[in-house]
Amino acid sequence: YKGGELYDRGNVSEGIVYFKKAEKLAEGGSLQVKYKIYSSLAFCNFVSENYHISLEYAKKSSKIAIDLRSPDRFLFSKYYESISFDMIGNHDSANICTKQYIPYIKYGTKEEQRVYFAEVCAYYITQNDTVKAQLYINKALELGEDPVVCGIAGAYYLWMKDYEKAEKMYQKKLKESVSLRHEAEALNGLGNVMKCQNNYDKASFFFNKEIDIMDSLAQQHQKENVKMVYIFCILVGVLILIAVTFIVVYRKNNREIRSKKKELENYANEIAYLNKIKNDSNKEKKILIREMERKMDSYIKSVSHGHKLYEGVC
């Protein structure tokens, strides 16, 4: 829940940290809990452009969805498998995943279905199937418009050489974009529309704006990487300090234990000696035994403390 809350507030990287903590804690948990964690990690890593990691968690989510016999979960997981494969350049695998989730689109919400239909249109564009591409983009647009749907619709109309509709869709994508990545994609699309119409001045304008945004994205990633390295160094330093402190205290405690053990052995030897000589030494023996019991109590406490320190070091 904390990971989700952090993500919703825009702190994606910290949200991922909490999802990872949840993953470790859920090792022996239910499949439903595991699915929730894996699918969240697939989604958050995709948004963070960690596409290889997103793909691994999407695969795990798909496997659990099959075990749970849950069509809506399978749909979500396969979709993220498909787009993750696409982003890392493995288009054949992306197409296989797209074909696998097509029969399950009916199990998604209205908002999800329009995105899935748009992605299926993009798949059929790669297959040069104009009839099915048109069918699915129309289905997507009937359910509403968002940056993803408008972007794929723009690509479809550009492919069909309907430049007026393509420009309109890319402009809508640009207007509704909530991320720099979407803005860059919309600008690239507008640049291509202008280039196809031989309007090179406008094409250059849009492509230059796209480059500016890509530079901003690169700077953001660089800042994020520097921040993560800084946090990592601090954490390593703190862990080393804690470990050294524990080890020093643990060794000191060990010296105390050895000293007390030696004292106990001395008392035991003295009592054994008094037992051997058989003189009137009962009073002295009682004093020694009482003192030995006191030392034994102190010794046991030290050993117990030592065990706790050892666990702390571990």
PDB file of all heavy atoms in Angstrom, residues 292-307:
ATOM      1  N   MET A 292      30.590 -18.130  44.030  1.00  0.00           N
ATOM      2  CA  MET A 292      30.601 -18.794  42.721  1.00  0.00           C
ATOM      3  C   MET A 292      29.227 -18.686  42.048  1.00  0.00           C
ATOM      4  O   MET A 292      29.124 -18.451  40.830  1.00  0.00           O
ATOM      5  CB  MET A 292      30.979 -20.262  42.897  1.00  0.00           C
ATOM      6  CG  MET A 292      31.154 -21.006  41.589  1.00  0.00           C
ATOM      7  SD  MET A 292      31.718 -22.676  41.891  1.00  0.00           S
ATOM      8  CE  MET A 292      31.725 -23.316  40.227  1.00  0.00           C
ATOM      9  N   GLU A 293      28.146 -18.845  42.830  1.00  0.00           N
ATOM     10  CA  GLU A 293      26.785 -18.726  42.290  1.00  0.00           C
ATOM     11  C   GLU A 293      26.521 -17.314  41.767  1.00  0.00           C
ATOM     12  O   GLU A 293      25.896 -17.113  40.730  1.00  0.00           O
ATOM     13  CB  GLU A 293      25.757 -19.100  43.364  1.00  0.00           C
ATOM     14  CG  GLU A 293      25.688 -20.599  43.623  1.00  0.00           C
ATOM     15  CD  GLU A 293      24.829 -20.934  44.829  1.00  0.00           C
ATOM     16  OE1 GLU A 293      24.425 -19.984  45.557  1.00  0.00           O
ATOM     17  OE2 GLU A 293      24.552 -22.124  45.054  1.00  0.00           O
ATOM     18  N   ARG A 294      27.032 -16.323  42.487  1.00  0.00           N
ATOM     19  CA  ARG A 294      26.877 -14.926  42.066  1.00  0.00           C
ATOM     20  C   ARG A 294      27.601 -14.683  40.734  1.00  0.00           C
ATOM     21  O   ARG A 294      27.090 -14.052  39.822  1.00  0.00           O
ATOM     22  CB  ARG A 294      27.412 -13.986  43.157  1.00  0.00           C
ATOM     23  CG  ARG A 294      27.086 -12.521  42.921  1.00  0.00           C
ATOM     24  CD  ARG A 294      27.585 -11.676  44.079  1.00  0.00           C
ATOM     25  NE  ARG A 294      29.042 -11.685  44.183  1.00  0.00           N
ATOM     26  CZ  ARG A 294      29.840 -10.941  43.402  1.00  0.00           C
ATOM     27  NH1 ARG A 294      29.344 -10.166  42.462  1.00  0.00           N
ATOM     28  NH2 ARG A 294      31.153 -10.986  43.562  1.00  0.00           N
ATOM     29  N   LYS A 295      28.826 -15.232  40.652  1.00  0.00           N
ATOM     30  CA  LYS A 295      29.612 -15.093  39.419  1.00  0.00           C
ATOM     31  C   LYS A 295      28.958 -15.848  38.254  1.00  0.00           C
ATOM     32  O   LYS A 295      28.980 -15.399  37.115  1.00  0.00           O
ATOM     33  CB  LYS A 295      31.037 -15.625  39.629  1.00  0.00           C
ATOM     34  CG  LYS A 295      31.896 -14.787  40.562  1.00  0.00           C
ATOM     35  CD  LYS A 295      32.322 -13.494  39.881  1.00  0.00           C
ATOM     36  CE  LYS A 295      33.238 -12.685  40.806  1.00  0.00           C
ATOM     37  NZ  LYS A 295      33.591 -11.385  40.173  1.00  0.00           N
ATOM     38  N   MET A 296      28.357 -17.020  38.567  1.00  0.00           N
ATOM     39  CA  MET A 296      27.686 -17.814  37.547  1.00  0.00           C
ATOM     40  C   MET A 296      26.506 -17.039  36.953  1.00  0.00           C
ATOM     41  O   MET A 296      26.288 -17.030  35.733  1.00  0.00           O
ATOM     42  CB  MET A 296      27.197 -19.144  38.138  1.00  0.00           C
ATOM     43  CG  MET A 296      26.448 -20.032  37.148  1.00  0.00           C
ATOM     44  SD  MET A 296      27.476 -20.566  35.756  1.00  0.00           S
ATOM     45  CE  MET A 296      28.393 -21.883  36.532  1.00  0.00           C
ATOM     46  N   ASP A 297      25.745 -16.369  37.828  1.00  0.00           N
ATOM     47  CA  ASP A 297      24.612 -15.565  37.365  1.00  0.00           C
ATOM     48  C   ASP A 297      25.090 -14.461  36.418  1.00  0.00           C
ATOM     49  O   ASP A 297      24.498 -14.215  35.358  1.00  0.00           O
ATOM     50  CB  ASP A 297      23.894 -14.956  38.569  1.00  0.00           C
ATOM     51  CG  ASP A 297      22.639 -14.204  38.156  1.00  0.00           C
ATOM     52  OD1 ASP A 297      21.786 -14.790  37.469  1.00  0.00           O
ATOM     53  OD2 ASP A 297      22.522 -13.011  38.510  1.00  0.00           O
ATOM     54  N   SER A 298      26.188 -13.790  36.784  1.00  0.00           N
ATOM     55  CA  SER A 298      26.776 -12.735  35.952  1.00  0.00           C
ATOM     56  C   SER A 298      27.275 -13.307  34.635  1.00  0.00           C
ATOM     57  O   SER A 298      27.127 -12.695  33.570  1.00  0.00           O
ATOM     58  CB  SER A 298      27.919 -12.062  36.717  1.00  0.00           C
ATOM     59  OG  SER A 298      28.575 -11.119  35.912  1.00  0.00           O
ATOM     60  N   TYR A 299      27.864 -14.505  34.683  1.00  0.00           N
ATOM     61  CA  TYR A 299      28.398 -15.180  33.491  1.00  0.00           C
ATOM     62  C   TYR A 299      27.259 -15.495  32.506  1.00  0.00           C
ATOM     63  O   TYR A 299      27.372 -15.246  31.303  1.00  0.00           O
ATOM     64  CB  TYR A 299      29.113 -16.458  33.913  1.00  0.00           C
ATOM     65  CG  TYR A 299      29.545 -17.349  32.775  1.00  0.00           C
ATOM     66  CD1 TYR A 299      30.641 -17.019  31.977  1.00  0.00           C
ATOM     67  CD2 TYR A 299      28.850 -18.530  32.486  1.00  0.00           C
ATOM     68  CE1 TYR A 299      31.032 -17.844  30.933  1.00  0.00           C
ATOM     69  CE2 TYR A 299      29.232 -19.359  31.446  1.00  0.00           C
ATOM     70  CZ  TYR A 299      30.336 -19.011  30.676  1.00  0.00           C
ATOM     71  OH  TYR A 299      30.718 -19.821  29.646  1.00  0.00           O
ATOM     72  N   ILE A 300      26.148 -16.033  33.027  1.00  0.00           N
ATOM     73  CA  ILE A 300      25.003 -16.394  32.175  1.00  0.00           C
ATOM     74  C   ILE A 300      24.431 -15.153  31.487  1.00  0.00           C
ATOM     75  O   ILE A 300      24.096 -15.174  30.303  1.00  0.00           O
ATOM     76  CB  ILE A 300      23.917 -17.121  33.004  1.00  0.00           C
ATOM     77  CG1 ILE A 300      24.419 -18.516  33.405  1.00  0.00           C
ATOM     78  CG2 ILE A 300      22.606 -17.226  32.225  1.00  0.00           C
ATOM     79  CD1 ILE A 300      23.582 -19.188  34.473  1.00  0.00           C
ATOM     80  N   LYS A 301      24.356 -14.037  32.235  1.00  0.00           N
ATOM     81  CA  LYS A 301      23.856 -12.789  31.650  1.00  0.00           C
ATOM     82  C   LYS A 301      24.767 -12.309  30.513  1.00  0.00           C
ATOM     83  O   LYS A 301      24.312 -11.840  29.473  1.00  0.00           O
ATOM     84  CB  LYS A 301      23.733 -11.708  32.711  1.00  0.00           C
ATOM     85  CG  LYS A 301      22.542 -11.898  33.629  1.00  0.00           C
ATOM     86  CD  LYS A 301      22.489 -10.817  34.687  1.00  0.00           C
ATOM     87  CE  LYS A 301      21.302 -11.048  35.620  1.00  0.00           C
ATOM     88  NZ  LYS A 301      21.288 -10.059  36.730  1.00  0.00           N
ATOM     89  N   SER A 302      26.071 -12.440  30.735  1.00  0.00           N
ATOM     90  CA  SER A 302      27.040 -12.016  29.712  1.00  0.00           C
ATOM     91  C   SER A 302      26.919 -12.880  28.455  1.00  0.00           C
ATOM     92  O   SER A 302      26.998 -12.382  27.326  1.00  0.00           O
ATOM     93  CB  SER A 302      28.468 -12.103  30.251  1.00  0.00           C
ATOM     94  OG  SER A 302      28.665 -11.154  31.263  1.00  0.00           O
ATOM     95  N   VAL A 303      26.743 -14.197  28.662  1.00  0.00           N
ATOM     96  CA  VAL A 303      26.591 -15.115  27.520  1.00  0.00           C
ATOM     97  C   VAL A 303      25.320 -14.772  26.734  1.00  0.00           C
ATOM     98  O   VAL A 303      25.323 -14.725  25.495  1.00  0.00           O
ATOM     99  CB  VAL A 303      26.556 -16.581  27.998  1.00  0.00           C
ATOM    100  CG1 VAL A 303      26.154 -17.513  26.852  1.00  0.00           C
ATOM    101  CG2 VAL A 303      27.916 -16.987  28.551  1.00  0.00           C
ATOM    102  N   SER A 304      24.221 -14.511  27.474  1.00  0.00           N
ATOM    103  CA  SER A 304      22.956 -14.136  26.826  1.00  0.00           C
ATOM    104  C   SER A 304      23.115 -12.852  26.021  1.00  0.00           C
ATOM    105  O   SER A 304      22.657 -12.755  24.872  1.00  0.00           O
ATOM    106  CB  SER A 304      21.874 -13.971  27.893  1.00  0.00           C
ATOM    107  OG  SER A 304      20.689 -13.504  27.307  1.00  0.00           O
ATOM    108  N   HIS A 305      23.776 -11.876  26.614  1.00  0.00           N
ATOM    109  CA  HIS A 305      24.037 -10.606  25.925  1.00  0.00           C
ATOM    110  C   HIS A 305      24.900 -10.842  24.681  1.00  0.00           C
ATOM    111  O   HIS A 305      24.672 -10.245  23.620  1.00  0.00           O
ATOM    112  CB  HIS A 305      24.727  -9.635  26.887  1.00  0.00           C
ATOM    113  CG  HIS A 305      24.998  -8.287  26.300  1.00  0.00           C
ATOM    114  ND1 HIS A 305      24.012  -7.500  25.741  1.00  0.00           N
ATOM    115  CD2 HIS A 305      26.153  -7.577  26.171  1.00  0.00           C
ATOM    116  CE1 HIS A 305      24.547  -6.373  25.299  1.00  0.00           C
ATOM    117  NE2 HIS A 305      25.830  -6.397  25.536  1.00  0.00           N
ATOM    118  N   GLY A 306      25.856 -11.744  24.814  1.00  0.00           N
ATOM    119  CA  GLY A 306      26.725 -12.083  23.689  1.00  0.00           C
ATOM    120  C   GLY A 306      25.964 -12.677  22.522  1.00  0.00           C
ATOM    121  O   GLY A 306      26.233 -12.369  21.369  1.00  0.00           O
ATOM    122  N   HIS A 307      24.996 -13.554  22.834  1.00  0.00           N
ATOM    123  CA  HIS A 307      24.166 -14.149  21.778  1.00  0.00           C
ATOM    124  C   HIS A 307      23.383 -13.072  21.020  1.00  0.00           C
ATOM    125  O   HIS A 307      23.269 -13.108  19.791  1.00  0.00           O
ATOM    126  CB  HIS A 307      23.199 -15.169  22.370  1.00  0.00           C
ATOM    127  CG  HIS A 307      23.828 -16.506  22.625  1.00  0.00           C
ATOM    128  ND1 HIS A 307      24.399 -17.256  21.626  1.00  0.00           N
ATOM    129  CD2 HIS A 307      23.967 -17.233  23.763  1.00  0.00           C
ATOM    130  CE1 HIS A 307      24.879 -18.384  22.134  1.00  0.00           C
ATOM    131  NE2 HIS A 307      24.637 -18.389  23.427  1.00  0.00           N
TER     132      HIS A 307
END
